[in-house]
C-alpha cells in the first residue's frame, strides 16, 4: 500500500523527483512518462542492444575489458563513478531507445532505479530492506550482495569470454546483478513464490500482477512474454535464462504460481519437480538450456528425501517417529535465516547455544521435526543488549509470546557481551509465572534463587559470563502455581570440566537430569553453569570433551538404541574446540 505501480518515477510529483538529469538540455521528454510498472516489466525505454553504451551500470568494467563504448566517467568529467545515482542521472540525459510501455527489453538500469525507489519509500538501505523482508522470511541464509564478474569480449565476435573478468562494485549493481546466492537459497525462493511451504511471500493478487501480459507491448511470441523479472508463458510457467555479461543462471518453474482453489494442481507431470535451477560459470551455450530441460524430463527416479536437510544438518537422527537435525558450527550472521529455514521445514529448535572460537561467533543447534506449521510461533533473537532484550520481551508479550530460553554470550560481530533469547507463542499455561534477570553477580544470584526456591521457582535458563574475575549470571525462573509438589533441583556455576562429569553422574543417582548447560571463558579456561531437575531419568549418556568427529560417531551409534542429543555446548580449551554433549533415551 505504500507504492502505486502506476506512479511516475521522474520529474515533478515523481517518486524520485529529487533526481535531476546530468544535462537538462538533452533530456528525452518521454523520460517523465516512465512508471514503476514499466521498470518492473522491462518496458522503461532502454535497450542495451541498441545503445552505444551497452550496459551503463557496467561501463567501467566493460571499458576495462576492451569494449568500444562511450566513457561515462569522462563524459561527466568525474575522477570515477562512485554511486549508481551518477549513472542514473547520466542516463536521464540520454535519448530513450523506445517509448515507455511499447516494447520489452531486459534492463538492469531499470532495476537499479527500482532499488532507489525502495530506499526512498522504505527509508531502509536497499539490501537491508530486502534481507529483512525477503531473504530472512524465506530462510535464504546465504544470499547477499556480492561482487559480480563481468566478462571480456572476444577479439572477433564481441562475444563474452570466461577469462579476464573485471570485478564490479556491488553498490552499482545491487538490485540488478548484485546478489550472489546458492542452489539451496534459489529453491527456497521458489517455494516462497509458489507457497509450497508454510509461507508465501506475495499475495495471489500481486503474483497475478507479476506474471500478467503487458497490455500495450507486442508479445514476443504468441504464448510467452516478459513479466516482472520473469519470462512467462500462457500456461503460467516462469523462467529466467541468465544475463549476457555475467555468470548464467537457468531457473524454471512449471507454475502456476497461483493455483486453482479446487484442484491445487501443478503444471508439472506427476513425479516431476515443480521447479529446478542450474548454475553456470561463465556464459551458457544456448543449446545447453534445452539439454537441461531434457535431462530433467528424462530423470525418472527423483528422491523422496527432503534434500534441504542436507543443508541445515551436519547430522540427521531418527528413532521411531522422532526426527532431529544437529548443526555443530553455525555462523552468527546466518542464524536468522537458518532458524527460518528450519521452521519452514517444520523443525523446531529444541536447543541452541552460542560460542566463540578463533575470533568468530557460532551457534550449535538441535532441532526436531514437528507436525504443525511453526510460522511466526517461535522467534530466535540473537545480538540483544539488556535494553533491547527488555523491549523485545515487553513488545512480544502483548502478542502472546513468552521468553523460554536465555543465553549471555560473547559476540565478535556485536563487539562484546550480548544475549540470545527464544520466544515462543503461548508457551506457558495461565498458571505459570516466570521471573528473569540479567548479569547478576554469582553470590547475589545464589541468595536470590534460594529465596525464590521457597516460593516454588526453579531455574530453566542459567547463563554464565565473566567480567574479569566476577561471574555474572543471567537467568529465567519458572513457577507453576498448579503444581502439587515442588520439583527438586540443583544449580551450579563456575564449575570445571572434570567436576561437570562427576555432577552429571552424581545427580543421576538422585533422579536429577541435566536440563541446562552453558560455558564461559575464565582467563582461557572453560567454566560451566549447569541446572539439574528431579524428573523421570531415562537411559542417558554424557561426555564433556568431544570432537566433532567423536560426536557424529556417538550420535549415529546411539540413535539405534533411542538415545538422541538433548544438550550440546561448545567451548575452546588450549586452542582447540571441544563439545560437551548430553543424550537421553
Amino acid at each position: 500500500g505504500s507504492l502505486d505501480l502506476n506512479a511516475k518515477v521522474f520529474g515533478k510529483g515523481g517518486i524520485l523527483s529529487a533526481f535531476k538529469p546530468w544535462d537538462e538540455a538533452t533530456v528525452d521528454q518521454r523520460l517523465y512518462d516512465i512508471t514503476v510498472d514499466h521498470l518492473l516489466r522491462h518496458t522503461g525505454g532502454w535497450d542495451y542492444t541498441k545503445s552505444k553504451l551497452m550496459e551503463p551500470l557496467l561501463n567501467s568494467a566493460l571499458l576495462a575489458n576492451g569494449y568500444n563504448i562511450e566513457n561515462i566517467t569522462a563524459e561527466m568529467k568525474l575522477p570515477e563513478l562512485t554511486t549508481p545515482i551518477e549513472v542514473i542521472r547520466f542516463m536521464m540525459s540520454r535519448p530513450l531507445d523506445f517509448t515507455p510501455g511499447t516494447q520489452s527489453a531486459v534492463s538492469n538500469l531499470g532495476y537499479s532505479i527500482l532499488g532507489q525507489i525502495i530506499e526512498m519509500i522504505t527509508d531502509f538501505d536497499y539490501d537491508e530492506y530486502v534481507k529483512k523482508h525477503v531473504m530472512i522470511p524465506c530462510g535464504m541464509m546465504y544470499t547477499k550482495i556480492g561482487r559480480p564478474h563481468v566478462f571480456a569480449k572476444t577479439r572477433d565476435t564481441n562475444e563474452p569470454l570466461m577469462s579476464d573478468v573485471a570485478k564490479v562494485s556491488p553498490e552499482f549493481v545491487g538490485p540488478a546483478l548484485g546478489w550472489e546466492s546458492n542452489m539451496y537459497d534459489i529453491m527456497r525462493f521458489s517455494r516462497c513464490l509458489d507457497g509450497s511451504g508454510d509461507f508465501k511471500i506475495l499475495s495471489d493478487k500481486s503474483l497475478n500482477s507479476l506474471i500478467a501480459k503487458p497490455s500495450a507491448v507486442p508479445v514476443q511470441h504468441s504464448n510467452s512474454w516478459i513479466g516482472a523479472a520473469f519470462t512467462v508463458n500462457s500456461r503460467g510457467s516462469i523462467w529466467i535464462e541468465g544475463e549476457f555479461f555475467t555468470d548464467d543462471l537457468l531457473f524454471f518453474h512449471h507454475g502456476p504460481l497461483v493455483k486453482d482453489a479446487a484442484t491445487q494442481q501443478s503444471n508439472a507431470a506427476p513425479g516431476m519437480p515443480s521447479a529446478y535451477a542450474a548454475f553456470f560459470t561463465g556464459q551458457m551455450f544456448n543449446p545447453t538450456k534445452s539439454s537441461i530441460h531434457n535431462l530433467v524430463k528424462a530423470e525418472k527416479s527423483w528422491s523422496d528425501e527432503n534434500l534441504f536437510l542436507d543443508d541445515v544438518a551436519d547430522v540427521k537422527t531418527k528413532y521411531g517417529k522422532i526426527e532431529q537435525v544437529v548443526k555443530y558450527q553455525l555462523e552468527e550472521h546466518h542464524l536468522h535465516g537458518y532458524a527460518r529455514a528450519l521452521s519452514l521445514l517444520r523443525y523446531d529448535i529444541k536447543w541452541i547455544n552460542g560460542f566463540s572460537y578463533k575470533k568468530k561467533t557460532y551457534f550449535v543447534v538441535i532441532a526436531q521435526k514437528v507436525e504443525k506449521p511453526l510460522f511466526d510461533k517461535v522467534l530466535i533473537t540473537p545480538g540483544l543488549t539488556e535494553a533491547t532484550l527488555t523491549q523485545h520481551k515487553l513488545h512480544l508479550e502483548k502478542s502472546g509470546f513468552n521468553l523460554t530460553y536465555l543465553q549471555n554470550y560473547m559476540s565478535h560481530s556485536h563487539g562484546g557481551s550480548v544475549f540470545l533469547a527464544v520466544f515462543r507463542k503461548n508457551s506457558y499455561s495461565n498458571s505459570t509465572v516466570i521471573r528473569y534477570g540479567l548479569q547478576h553477580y554469582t553470590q547475589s544470584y545464589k541468595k536470590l534463587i534460594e529465596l525464590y526456591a521457597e516460593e516454588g521457582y526453579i531455574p530453566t535458563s542459567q547463563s554464565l559470563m565473566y567480567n574479569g574475575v566476577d561471574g555474572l549470571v543471567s537467568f529465567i525462573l519458572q513457577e507453576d502455581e498448579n503444581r502439587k509438589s515442588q520439583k527438586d533441583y540443583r544449580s551450579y556455576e563456575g564449575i570445571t570440566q572434570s567436576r561437570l562429569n562427576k555432577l552429571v553422574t552424581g545427580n543421576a543417582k538422585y533422579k536429577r537430569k541435566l536440563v541446562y548447560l552453558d560455558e564461559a571463558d575464565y582467563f582461557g579456561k572453560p567454566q560451566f553453569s549447569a541446572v539439574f531437575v528431579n524428573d523421570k531419568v531415562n537411559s542417558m549418556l554424557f561426555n564433556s570433551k568431544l570432537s566433532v568427529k567423536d560426536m557424529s560417531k556417538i550420535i549415529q551409534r546411539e540413535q539405534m538404541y533411542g538415545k538422541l542429543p538433548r544438550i550440546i555446548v561448545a567451548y575452546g580449551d588450549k586452542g582447540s574446540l571441544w563439545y560437551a554433549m548430553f543424550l537421553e533415551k
Side-chain angles (χ1 to χ4, degrees):
S2 301
L3 181 63
D4 180 0
L5 296 188
N6 293 315
K8 298 291 176 63
V9 176
F10 299 114
K12 188 177 180 180
I15 298 170
L16 300 180
S17 58
F19 283 44
K20 304 300 181 185
W22 170 64
D23 185 352
E24 293 274 5
T26 58
V27 174
D28 185 330
Q29 292 303 307
R30 295 175 298 177
L31 175 80
Y32 302 114
D33 295 328
I34 297 173
T35 66
V36 176
D37 197 62
H38 288 150
L39 299 179
L40 275 170
R41 300 178 190 283
H42 297 288
T43 63
W46 298 285
D47 185 347
Y48 76 83
T49 64
K50 297 178 181 177
S51 171
K52 294 179 181 178
L53 278 164
M54 296 189 74
E55 182 53 79
L57 289 168
L58 306 179
N59 188 251
S60 298
L62 294 175
L63 286 166
N65 275 340
Y67 284 84
N68 184 22
I69 55 175
E70 289 183 60
N71 188 325
I72 295 177
T73 305
E75 289 281 338
M76 297 184 76
K77 296 181 173 58
L78 296 172
E80 62 177 336
L81 293 172
T82 56
T83 73
I85 295 175
E86 292 166 341
V87 177
I88 293 169
R89 290 184 60 231
F90 181 81
M91 293 303 293
M92 289 171 69
S93 304
R94 303 280 299 197
L96 296 176
D97 300 308
F98 56 85
T99 299
T102 63
Q103 296 182 38
S104 293
V106 173
S107 172
N108 290 314
L109 176 66
Y111 269 68
S112 180
I113 296 168
L114 287 171
Q116 298 296 327
I117 290 172
I118 289 172
E119 292 192 350
M120 182 68 70
I121 294 292
T122 66
D123 207 24
F124 272 81
D125 285 344
Y126 164 76
D127 58 328
E128 287 301 313
Y129 183 84
V130 175
K131 181 179 179 182
K132 180 177 180 180
H133 293 280
V134 179
M135 303 307 169
I136 289 176
C138 290
M140 299 168 67
M141 66 186 108
Y142 306 110
T143 307
K144 61 184 180 180
I145 295 289
R147 189 171 284 274
H149 290 160
V150 177
F151 299 105
K153 69 181 182 69
T154 61
R155 293 191 182 118
D156 301 323
T157 64
N158 231 29
E159 289 295 315
L161 281 174
M162 287 174 56
S163 58
D164 302 323
V165 295
K167 290 186 176 180
V168 181
S169 170
E171 291 77 17
F172 263 87
V173 291
L177 299 173
W179 292 95
E180 64 178 37
S181 191
N182 70 4
M183 190 60 73
Y184 288 108
D185 272 8
I186 291 294
M187 299 317 289
R188 287 182 178 115
F189 183 64
S190 174
R191 285 167 59 84
C192 258
L193 270 182
D194 65 18
S196 54
D198 289 331
F199 175 69
K200 195 170 186 177
I201 196 163
L202 292 176
S203 66
D204 287 352
K205 180 181 177 181
S206 290
L207 282 170
N208 282 324
S209 171
L210 183 88
I211 62 177
K213 185 183 293 186
S215 56
V217 178
V219 177
Q220 293 83 353
H221 304 285
S222 59
N223 66 342
S224 66
W225 57 88
I226 297 177
F230 300 103
T231 303
V232 187
N233 70 16
S234 55
R235 298 182 69 238
S237 300
I238 62 170
W239 63 92
I240 291 176
E241 296 182 357
E243 167 66 37
F244 183 76
F245 296 103
T246 61
D247 286 331
D248 263 346
L249 158 73
L250 171 64
F251 172 78
F252 185 88
H253 193 299
H254 282 284
L257 297 182
V258 180
K259 294 183 175 67
D260 180 85
T263 63
Q264 291 290 305
Q265 284 187 338
S266 167
N267 288 335
M272 296 295 288
S274 60
Y276 51 89
F279 288 175
F280 298 84
T281 300
Q283 295 293 292
M284 176 172 55
F285 182 51
N286 209 37
T288 308
K289 179 181 68 174
S290 298
S291 299
I292 296 293
H293 290 301
N294 292 335
L295 283 167
V296 172
K297 288 179 182 178
E299 179 60 59
K300 301 302 180 186
S301 55
W302 293 99
S303 173
D304 290 330
E305 293 183 25
N306 188 338
L307 299 181
F308 284 112
L309 294 180
D310 293 336
D311 183 48
V312 298
D314 290 319
V315 175
K316 294 178 280 188
T317 70
K318 186 174 182 179
Y319 183 73
K321 293 183 178 180
I322 300 173
E323 297 179 47
Q324 288 186 338
V325 296
V326 180
K327 191 75 172 175
Y328 297 134
Q329 203 166 330
L330 177 74
E331 293 186 37
E332 184 179 24
H333 65 274
H334 283 161
L335 180 56
H336 277 300
Y338 178 82
R340 183 62 169 194
L342 281 176
S343 72
L344 292 173
L345 295 170
R346 297 190 180 182
Y347 273 78
D348 187 12
I349 292 179
K350 297 296 187 181
W351 176 261
I352 183 170
N353 191 264
F355 64 96
S356 294
Y357 182 61
K358 293 186 176 179
K359 298 184 178 180
K360 285 190 175 183
T361 305
Y362 303 94
F363 290 90
V364 57
V365 178
I366 303 171
Q368 187 165 306
K369 180 75 171 171
V370 294
E371 293 299 320
K372 295 182 179 180
L374 290 165
F375 178 67
D376 286 349
K377 290 183 172 62
V378 182
L379 299 176
I380 311 292
T381 50
L384 297 170
T385 63
E386 287 191 41
T388 55
L389 173 55
T390 302
Q391 290 168 4
H392 268 67
K393 182 178 180 295
L394 293 173
H395 174 71
L396 289 169
E397 280 177 343
K398 295 176 183 178
S399 303
F401 282 89
N402 307 121
L403 176 64
T404 60
Y405 178 89
L406 184 63
Q407 188 201 0
N408 191 190
Y409 69 99
M410 290 300 298
S411 168
H412 290 277
S413 60
H414 291 92
S417 165
V418 293
F419 297 92
L420 166 75
V422 178
F423 297 92
R424 293 179 178 274
K425 196 157 194 175
N426 302 321
S427 179
Y428 299 135
S429 67
N430 292 333
S431 62
T432 301
V433 182
I434 70 162
R435 299 281 187 267
Y436 83 105
L438 305 177
Q439 295 191 336
H440 286 236
Y441 288 107
T442 50
Q443 291 303 315
S444 62
Y445 171 70
K446 288 177 181 178
K447 293 177 181 178
L448 183 73
I449 60 171
E450 285 176 7
L451 293 172
Y452 273 108
E454 295 174 5
E455 299 180 24
Y457 286 87
I458 61 171
T460 56
S461 290
Q462 182 180 283
S463 185
L464 180 64
M465 176 67 66
Y466 282 98
N467 181 14
V469 297
D470 297 319
L472 304 172
V473 180
S474 300
F475 58 88
I476 300 174
L477 304 179
Q478 180 179 325
E479 181 207 10
D480 188 343
E481 294 175 339
N482 288 344
R483 185 183 296 143
K484 294 179 180 179
S485 61
Q486 177 58 34
K487 283 188 175 181
D488 174 34
Y489 78 89
R490 293 289 185 272
S491 69
Y492 308 87
E493 316 89 28
I495 53 179
T496 63
Q497 179 239 329
S498 58
R499 189 180 175 215
L500 176 62
N501 288 324
K502 296 174 183 177
L503 287 172
V504 173
T505 304
N507 276 279
K509 293 178 181 178
Y510 295 93
K511 296 185 177 180
R512 290 189 291 263
K513 71 178 180 183
L514 185 66
V515 296
Y516 186 89
L517 184 65
D518 192 23
E519 181 273 340
D521 181 272
Y522 184 71
F523 297 104
K525 289 287 185 181
Q527 299 282 293
F528 293 89
S529 170
V531 178
F532 299 85
V533 174
N534 182 268
D535 204 347
K536 180 182 179 182
V537 179
N538 299 315
S539 177
M540 63 183 190
L541 182 67
F542 180 79
N543 195 310
S544 64
K545 195 168 187 178
L546 296 167
S547 66
V548 165
K549 188 176 180 180
D550 293 334
M551 267 198 306
S552 296
K553 284 182 178 179
I554 291 171
I555 291 171
Q556 297 288 12
R557 181 189 70 212
E558 295 298 325
Q559 70 174 331
M560 294 187 294
Y561 309 107
K563 290 195 188 84
L564 301 177
R566 291 286 183 254
I567 292 174
I568 301 176
V569 170
Y571 62 93
D573 188 15
K574 297 179 181 178
S576 297
L577 182 63
W578 301 100
Y579 293 83
M581 180 171 66
F582 174 72
L583 297 94
E584 185 183 16
K585 187 163 183 176

